[in-house]
Amino acid sequence: MEVPDRTRDAAQIILSKEQFEEVSDCLSNLAEKLRVTATLLVNSGGRIIAKKVLGSSKVDPTLLSTLAASSYAAAREMARILGEKSNFKMVLHEGEGHNVFVASVNKDFFLIVIFESGVALGMVRLFTKKTIMQLLPILSKKDKKNVEIKQIFNRRFQAMLGEELDRSFKELK
């Protein structure tokens, strides 16, 4: 199996102020309609593009987005092994108190919805799908001010991120 070049996956475009505000509005609407704990728009490298966290949640969105990116990468590999033409459209992690729903927006972005177990999964799927349909044209807009940030995500950054994740897991023990 060939190891993917994560620097290529993490190279994304910075959103313009207008795009960021539109994305933030979409995430806020989704969070408020469903009364979820958090919604995060994340790039394929695990970097949070925009987020909406409701209440006084103790969720660490940065750590969660990185772990979700890894989980989504694993799902992509499972889809490839099974002969799927594209990645799985969604991944659900069910817990006793909270659930994490990860849905593909496009090849570069995915949406994470964190919600309590009492929230109906069908509603989460329905409203997440509608939100994705709203996000697609926003994320595909071309803006003169967009800047490539490939240089930011170099191998040194990846090593530092790995070390930080290792440290975080050791502290949890």
Side-chain angles (χ1 to χ4, degrees):
M1 177 177 84
E2 183 180 321
V3 177
D5 179 3
R6 299 291 290 168
T7 56
R8 182 192 51 181
D9 292 342
Q12 300 300 328
I13 303 294
I14 295 174
L15 300 179
S16 68
K17 182 179 179 184
E18 177 186 322
Q19 286 174 302
F20 179 78
E21 288 172 357
E22 289 179 47
V23 167
S24 294
D25 287 345
C26 288
L27 296 184
S28 292
N29 289 337
L30 177 62
E32 290 166 11
K33 282 179 187 172
L34 295 172
R35 296 189 178 154
V36 299
T37 306
T39 56
L40 310 165
L41 178 66
V42 179
N43 73 4
S44 59
R47 180 174 175 260
I48 296 174
I49 305 302
K51 66 183 177 184
K52 176 64 177 178
V53 179
L54 296 180
S56 60
S57 174
K58 294 180 180 161
V59 173
D60 178 351
T62 304
L63 182 57
L64 188 69
S65 67
T66 303
L67 293 170
S70 298
S71 173
Y72 209 68
R76 180 178 24 244
E77 186 62 19
M78 284 188 271
R80 187 190 67 75
I81 289 168
L82 293 171
E84 291 290 323
K85 293 179 182 176
S86 63
N87 194 10
F88 295 121
K89 291 182 172 70
M90 59 192 79
V91 176
L92 174 66
H93 300 280
E94 284 187 278
E96 290 182 24
H98 288 86
N99 300 322
V100 179
F101 184 71
V102 184
S104 174
V105 175
N106 60 25
K107 68 181 180 70
D108 296 320
F109 300 100
F110 58 92
L111 187 60
I112 301 171
V113 181
I114 304 160
F115 59 101
E116 293 181 2
S117 296
V119 177
L121 178 59
M123 295 301 287
V124 172
R125 289 180 67 172
L126 176 70
F127 283 111
T128 298
K129 194 172 193 176
K130 285 182 179 183
T131 300
I132 288 170
M133 297 309 291
Q134 294 168 346
L135 288 171
L136 284 171
I138 297 168
L139 296 172
S140 65
K141 284 182 189 175
K142 301 294 181 203
D143 187 61
K144 291 183 250 179
K145 298 175 185 173
N146 284 347
V147 179
E148 286 198 29
I149 59 169
K150 183 185 282 188
Q151 301 84 3
I152 294 173
F153 290 97
N154 60 24
R155 294 196 194 289
R156 179 168 156 68
F157 174 80
Q158 290 177 358
M160 289 171 44
L161 179 61
E163 290 168 8
E164 185 65 26
L165 281 172
D166 289 344
R167 186 186 62 73
S168 295
F169 284 122
K170 286 178 185 174
E171 289 179 0
L172 291 174
K173 290 182 181 180

